[in-house]
Amino acid sequence: MKSIQVPLQQLDPELPLPRYAHDDDAGADLVTAEDFTLAPGERRMVPTGMAVAIPTGWVGLVHPRSGLAARHGVSIVNAPGTVDSGYRGELKVLLINTDPTQPVSFTRGDRIAQMVFQEVARAHFVPVDRLPETSRGAGGFGSSGLSSTPDHYAQQR
Ligand SMILES: O=c1ccn([C@H]2C[C@H](O)[C@@H](COP(=O)(O)OP(=O)(O)OP(=O)(O)O)O2)c(=O)[nH]1
Ligand SMILES: [Mg+2]
């Protein structure tokens, strides 16, 4: 696995650093700096008490935790959140409680999200009159259907 150094400023020094729960995990867990409760349907910008300097050419993606999603319906509004390498402000997590009836409470230090680091490419956009042809063409938004044996697969069999 590639490894990068990420300078981290602890705006709230008593909180733990982000950690990988297991050696091969893709995401390092982020914690909340605050106690809060999300009412059903409520969203909130949650501070993490830290700022980072992600290396140029990389991005930090703020992903939901599946356990919170499965148990409480808690997700991230803008999933995955994009943390630009030039961003020096406090990392925040835009949580939402999608449960229609149950509130959910968090305590300072609880792990609320996970950050995945990825390399990014810079696109240079080149205006053209025609795009190269493909089998998909302009089909999208469900064009290949739901069934596991659609005609769509016929040519590959
Ligand atoms: O989940 C997130 C998403 C973003 N950010 C911070 C870092 C990121 O670099 C900055 C801007 O995010 P984004 O580009 O997604 O927001 P925008 O609405 O496009 O704002 P801007 O105009 O500042 O780019 O906000 C977070 O702390 N958490
Ligand atoms: Mg932006």
Side-chain angles (χ1 to χ4, degrees), residues 97-108:
N97 178 6
T98 68
D99 194 282
T101 59
Q102 294 301 308
V104 55
S105 295
F106 294 89
T107 303
R108 177 179 154 79

Side-chain angles (χ1 to χ4, degrees), residues 64-88:
R65 296 189 68 207
S66 62
L68 290 176
R71 264 182 250 122
H72 302 289
V74 169
S75 191
I76 292 179
V77 181
N78 57 326
T82 303
V83 180
D84 301 290
S85 62
Y87 180 68
R88 296 292 177 269

Side-chain angles (χ1 to χ4, degrees), residues 9-143:
Q9 187 179 17
Q10 289 183 282
L11 307 172
D12 189 334
E14 284 158 19
L15 289 174
L17 294 178
R19 276 183 53 185
Y20 294 93
H22 297 280
D23 282 348
D24 295 327
D25 283 1
D29 291 326
L30 305 178
V31 303
T32 169
E34 295 178 348
D35 297 342
F36 63 96
T37 297
L38 290 177
E42 186 181 357
R43 66 176 188 265
R44 183 185 182 96
M45 198 184 286
V46 182
T48 64
M50 62 169 197
V52 288
I54 297 171
T56 302
W58 292 74
V59 65
L61 299 175
V62 183
H63 288 265
R65 296 189 68 207
S66 62
L68 290 176
R71 264 182 250 122
H72 302 289
V74 169
S75 191
I76 292 179
V77 181
N78 57 326
T82 303
V83 180
D84 301 290
S85 62
Y87 180 68
R88 296 292 177 269
E90 181 172 13
L91 278 186
K92 300 200 171 150
V93 178
L94 271 166
L95 285 188
I96 183 160
N97 178 6
T98 68
D99 194 282
T101 59
Q102 294 301 308
V104 55
S105 295
F106 294 89
T107 303
R108 177 179 154 79
D110 283 350
R111 293 176 290 146
I112 53 168
Q114 54 186 327
M115 184 136 88
V116 175
F117 293 91
Q118 287 182 357
E119 266 180 301
V120 292
R122 165 54 52 112
H124 296 280
F125 296 99
V126 182
V128 294
D129 290 331
R130 279 176 68 95
L131 297 172
E133 284 183 18
T134 65
S135 67
R136 172 174 286 277
F141 313 99
S143 66

